[in-house]
């Protein structure tokens, strides 16, 4: 049974994982942020430059702790119910700047990626729309306990895909993106609103737990 005392609007962090200000993935992140905001959810729209940090170095971590950019990403992850990443594909894989950010933030305890819902999208001039990079990106996120939404969205031929108002010229693609966002938000809302449900899931082998199965029950 859902509680009558409903929490406030869903809170989502949305950012493009390219440093280039005019990148197609920045435009796609802006479009996703607009679609989410249209549902009444609260959007924290960020850019990768908001989380600038050096390459991960264990010696630097011991001597200086986590850099400000990693702490900023940690803080904004903790404030959100879920997050969306619009990531380019670099050589068939994840951009180094994004993987580096994940590696830094993975050092935080408690782990901010754990149990967060995530949706992954990409834009690329290629015919596969950066989809290969998204499959690579799923690996570290799921390893850290993020619940990555199964339906990913990849925008091919991105340089000619956007209208001047930021929507997609192909109405069918725009509708599919909107439906993907709606489905994702429905899952996040169920997790946030129906907190009386008891959930169980298997932990990753690297997770520190005394039980083979972790049980979470919230009142």
């Amino acid at each position: 049974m859902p509680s009558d005392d409903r929490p406030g609007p869903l809170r989502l962090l949305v950012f493009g994982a390219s440093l280039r200000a005019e990148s197609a993935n920045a435009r796609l992140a802006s479009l996703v942020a607009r679609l989410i905001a249209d549902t009444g959810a609260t959007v924290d729209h960020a850019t990768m430059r908001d989380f600038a940090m050096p390459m991960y170095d264990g010696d630097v971590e011991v001597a200086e702790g986590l850099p400000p950019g990693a702490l900023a990403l940690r803080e904004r992850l903790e404030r959100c119910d879920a997050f969306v990443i619009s990531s380019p594909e670099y050589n068939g894989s994840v951009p180094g700047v994004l993987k580096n950010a994940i590696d830094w933030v993975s050092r935080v305890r408690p782990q901010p990626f754990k149990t967060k819902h995530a949706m992954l999208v990409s834009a690329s001039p290629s015919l596969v729309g950066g989809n290969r990079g998204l499959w690579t990106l799923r690996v570290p996120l799921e390893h850290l306990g993020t619940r990555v939404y199964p339906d990913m969205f990849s925008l091919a031929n991105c340089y000619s895909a956007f209208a001047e108002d930021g929507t997609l010229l192909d109405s069918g693609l725009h509708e599919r993106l909107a439906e993907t966002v709606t489905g994702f938000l429905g899952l996040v809302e169920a997790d946030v609103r129906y907190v009386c449900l008891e959930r169980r899931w298997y932990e990753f082998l690297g997770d520190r737990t005394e039980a083979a199965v972790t049980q979470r029950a919230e009142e």
Side-chain angles (χ1 to χ4, degrees), residues 13 16 46 52 69 96 99 101 104-105 129 141 147 166 176 194 209 212 216:
L13 171 64
K99 180 58 167 61
W104 268 114
V105 177
L141 291 176
R147 302 169 186 174
R176 178 173 173 262
Y194 293 80
T209 178
R216 182 172 75 165

Side-chain angles (χ1 to χ4, degrees), residues 138-159:
R138 294 183 71 100
V139 175
L141 291 176
E142 290 181 332
H143 174 77
L144 292 171
T146 303
R147 302 169 186 174
V148 181
Y149 192 58
D151 192 4
M152 304 182 294
F153 179 85
S154 298
L155 179 64
N157 298 315
C158 64
Y159 293 155

Side-chain angles (χ1 to χ4, degrees), residues 98-170:
L98 177 57
K99 180 58 167 61
N100 183 60
I102 293 172
D103 290 343
W104 268 114
V105 177
S106 73
R107 304 297 296 169
V108 177
R109 296 295 181 270
Q111 174 51 248
F113 286 111
K114 184 176 172 62
T115 75
K116 293 289 185 184
H117 289 278
M119 176 178 151
L120 305 182
V121 300
S122 64
S124 171
S126 75
L127 294 178
V128 295
N131 188 258
R132 294 167 300 187
L134 295 187
W135 281 108
T136 305
L137 178 56
R138 294 183 71 100
V139 175
L141 291 176
E142 290 181 332
H143 174 77
L144 292 171
T146 303
R147 302 169 186 174
V148 181
Y149 192 58
D151 192 4
M152 304 182 294
F153 179 85
S154 298
L155 179 64
N157 298 315
C158 64
Y159 293 155
S160 58
F162 290 95
E164 290 187 5
D165 64 356
T167 60
L168 299 181
L169 289 169
D170 187 319

Side-chain angles (χ1 to χ4, degrees), residues 9-10 19-20 28 41 49 83 89 99 102 116 121 139 147 153 171 176 186 188 195 206-207 210:
L10 294 177
L19 291 174
R20 190 164 59 89
L28 184 57
R49 290 188 181 276
F83 62 94
E89 177 183 287
K99 180 58 167 61
I102 293 172
K116 293 289 185 184
V121 300
V139 175
R147 302 169 186 174
F153 179 85
S171 60
R176 178 173 173 262
V188 176
V195 295
D207 204 6
E210 296 178 356

Side-chain angles (χ1 to χ4, degrees), residues 31-44:
L31 177 55
V32 171
R34 189 196 314 179
L35 292 171
I36 293 173
D38 286 345
T39 71
T42 298
V43 179
D44 179 7

Side-chain angles (χ1 to χ4, degrees), residues 15-81:
F15 66 96
S18 174
L19 291 174
R20 190 164 59 89
E22 299 301 321
S23 77
N25 280 280
R27 300 184 72 181
L28 184 57
S30 295
L31 177 55
V32 171
R34 189 196 314 179
L35 292 171
I36 293 173
D38 286 345
T39 71
T42 298
V43 179
D44 179 7
H45 189 187
T47 70
M48 205 66 218
R49 290 188 181 276
D50 294 333
F51 312 122
M53 60 193 82
M55 293 300 294
Y56 178 76
D57 184 327
D59 291 336
V60 171
E61 180 188 6
V62 171
E64 303 176 14
L66 271 68
L71 294 174
L73 179 54
R74 183 274 303 270
E75 179 183 356
R76 291 167 83 166
L77 281 169
E78 289 180 340
R79 291 205 307 254
C80 73
D81 296 309

